[in-house]
Amino acid sequence: MDTIIQEKKGLQTDELPLLGTDHIEFYVGNAKQSAHYYQTAFGYELVAYKGLETGSKDLCSYVLQQGKIRLVLTTAMIPNHPVAEHVMKHGDGVKVLALWVDDAAKSYEVALSRGAVSAQAPFTLSDEHGEVKMASICTYGDTIHTFVERKNYSGAFLPGFMKKESLMEVKPIGLKYVDHCVGNVGWGKMNDWVEFYQKVMGFDLLITFDDKDISTEYTALMSKVVSNGNGYVKFPINEPAEGRKKSQIEEYLDFYGSAGVQHIAIATDNILETVAQLRKNGVEFLHVPDNYYDTVLDRVGTIDENLEDLKALNILIDRDDEGYLLQIFTKPVQDRPTVFYEIIQRKGALSFGKGNFKALFEAIEREQELRGTL
Ligand code: FE2
């Protein structure tokens, strides 16, 4: 079976409309130090904080922002806490993919009526800046989706958080918004989760990649991309496929201890500047051999950028019917080989870089070889 790009149908009336990604919350071992990394390496600005000083005795959270992207880094300050247990099992990782909605309670009820499992019933938080309504449902692994309704709130993040600014001079590097968030699920589970997003969330199946699309001499995986009606929220779902050696998805599942978020793709309008700055700040990227650039223009045709500039930063190029895209992948951003980032600049293309899969997966295999996990 070849790659199938589905005709996007869209629901006639979207009963679970999503306005976009509200925030992404990581549970981490040391939020203070993680917050420093995201400020110095990725150019996020600290905007809000919760901890002992705000009366939060068991949890500490830092909220970072750049463009429309909001990251929350949360750590437990006591041992027997679900956040501490999450970190013990998974290492640092994404707990919450929060979705911005107009009506959190209704979103939750619609999702539950369609078969979602509750993670937290609707509740309201309020302070002098107004109120925020939230409710959460379970998705793959220990990951949850929180519906956030913030139309009646004007504070820094959520009630309970205080406004807090970066202590150092932060240089934003052009990160604009979350393009897509990818989940890795276990053997044979991809279709179950695709069905979850279709049935419960009303998403459309956008693209199917089978193991022939995504394989190298040694390893393989399968992937399907689901998207909400307005296309603001896109979730590719990967599962491992049989190969001669251990796929990167299996490696992830082993180290994360369950299904979970594999990578977050962040959009930029100027990938050359963004990646040059990230490299200067010490962010590590997967390396694709220089010979990739010998033939890439035969495949993608004319591009606006100078190929030598892209080669110098090891940025990859792909084209589809709509246009082209530029992309690059970081190495994992914590010690376990789990979560990483993609930086993507879309110049018309709506796809995900299929033409680069082989070169990328060979690059990941070289990393797996070094880790002894291939
Ligand atoms: Fe991606």
Side-chain angles (χ1 to χ4, degrees):
M1 192 176 71
D2 283 321
T3 306
I4 298 170
I5 299 186
Q6 306 286 135
E7 195 60 34
K8 245 179 87 54
K9 293 184 287 290
L11 294 180
Q12 287 291 323
T13 50
D14 192 349
E15 276 193 70
L16 216 163
L18 304 177
L19 305 173
T21 304
D22 188 89
H23 64 271
I24 296 173
E25 183 169 14
F26 288 75
Y27 284 176
V28 300
N30 187 335
K32 186 174 206 163
Q33 291 192 3
S34 295
H36 198 276
Y37 173 73
Y38 277 102
Q39 289 170 87
T40 53
F42 285 84
Y44 283 86
E45 280 177 274
L46 181 62
V47 295
Y49 166 83
K50 151 175 122 170
L52 292 171
E53 299 83 347
T54 66
S56 173
K57 300 215 182 323
D58 53 353
L59 289 179
C60 185
S61 296
Y62 293 76
V63 185
L64 302 154
Q65 194 157 357
Q66 186 170 176
K68 291 181 179 167
I69 313 149
R70 191 155 44 198
L71 301 182
V72 183
L73 305 166
T74 295
T75 203
M77 292 190 287
I78 51 172
N80 299 316
H81 190 284
V83 172
E85 283 156 16
H86 194 278
V87 172
M88 189 166 77
K89 178 175 177 190
H90 302 290
D92 290 6
V94 174
K95 174 65 182 181
V96 187
L97 291 171
L99 302 166
W100 178 28
V101 297
D102 229 16
D103 188 333
K106 189 184 170 207
S107 304
Y108 172 86
E109 273 146 30
V110 168
L112 255 58
S113 74
R114 293 172 175 174
V117 173
S118 173
Q120 189 158 20
F123 63 99
T124 304
L125 296 174
S126 56
D127 67 8
E128 70 271 29
H129 302 293
E131 62 172 34
V132 177
K133 294 183 175 171
M134 296 194 284
S136 305
I137 59 166
C138 298
T139 179
Y140 47 76
D142 289 330
T143 318
I144 64 172
H145 287 307
T146 299
F147 299 114
V148 183
E149 173 190 331
R150 53 169 71 256
K151 56 180 181 275
N152 297 316
Y153 193 67
S154 61
F157 176 54
L158 294 176
F161 282 76
M162 62 183 256
K163 191 168 180 271
K164 187 159 178 156
E165 290 174 6
S166 295
L167 295 172
M168 79 274 290
E169 191 196 339
V170 171
K171 293 189 195 115
I173 56 162
L175 303 181
K176 299 281 183 197
Y177 59 88
V178 175
D179 186 275
H180 58 275
C181 288
V182 182
N184 282 344
V185 301
W187 289 94
K189 298 287 185 214
M190 176 181 70
N191 285 330
D192 294 351
W193 286 107
V194 167
E195 204 179 294
F196 165 84
Y197 282 106
Q198 288 177 299
K199 280 195 174 160
V200 171
M201 306 285 280
F203 281 30
D204 296 314
L205 175 63
L206 214 56
I207 311 178
T208 299
F209 301 107
D210 73 6
D211 49 348
K212 282 174 208 66
D213 295 316
I214 318 186
S215 65
T216 66
E217 188 185 346
Y218 297 114
T219 67
L221 64 90
M222 294 191 279
S223 188
K224 287 185 175 178
V225 184
V226 289
S227 166
N228 80 317
N230 59 21
Y232 290 171
V233 179
K234 291 191 278 288
F235 294 144
I237 309 285
N238 299 331
E239 74 172 25
E242 287 292 347
R244 285 166 59 194
K245 295 194 175 182
K246 188 186 246 186
S247 113
Q248 51 169 298
I249 310 303
E250 282 176 272
E251 184 199 36
Y252 174 98
L253 296 169
D254 286 351
F255 280 91
Y256 198 68
S258 74
V261 171
Q262 179 212 35
H263 77 263
I264 299 162
I266 307 274
T268 170
D269 289 340
N270 189 337
I271 199 166
L272 287 165
E273 276 180 23
T274 297
V275 173
Q277 198 57 50
L278 285 167
R279 287 192 180 280
K280 213 167 123 189
N281 296 348
V283 173
E284 294 177 290
F285 292 93
L286 284 178
H287 183 76
V288 169
D290 284 356
N291 63 14
Y292 168 91
Y293 296 91
D294 295 348
T295 55
V296 68
L297 292 185
D298 301 340
R299 179 163 62 79
V300 303
T302 311
I303 54 170
D304 302 336
E305 294 72 16
N306 179 336
L307 188 66
E308 286 307 312
D309 294 342
L310 296 171
K311 184 177 173 181
L313 292 166
N314 210 234
I315 293 165
L316 308 178
I317 316 149
D318 196 28
R319 183 178 284 279
D320 62 22
D321 293 344
E322 269 75 33
Y324 71 98
L325 62 81
L326 303 163
Q327 64 186 170
I328 191 167
F329 294 80
T330 72
K331 291 187 182 180
V333 291
Q334 60 291 308
D335 296 301
R336 296 194 201 191
T338 52
V339 185
F340 59 88
Y341 283 94
E342 171 182 352
I343 307 297
I344 184 167
Q345 182 177 4
R346 293 187 180 277
K347 303 197 82 166
L350 300 172
S351 52
F352 295 84
K354 183 188 165 191
N356 293 323
F357 287 170
K358 192 160 187 288
L360 270 171
F361 296 149
E362 285 169 352
I364 293 175
E365 284 167 13
R366 285 191 291 279
E367 297 293 315
Q368 284 181 263
E369 186 85 68
L370 291 172
R371 296 194 281 259
T373 60
L374 186 60

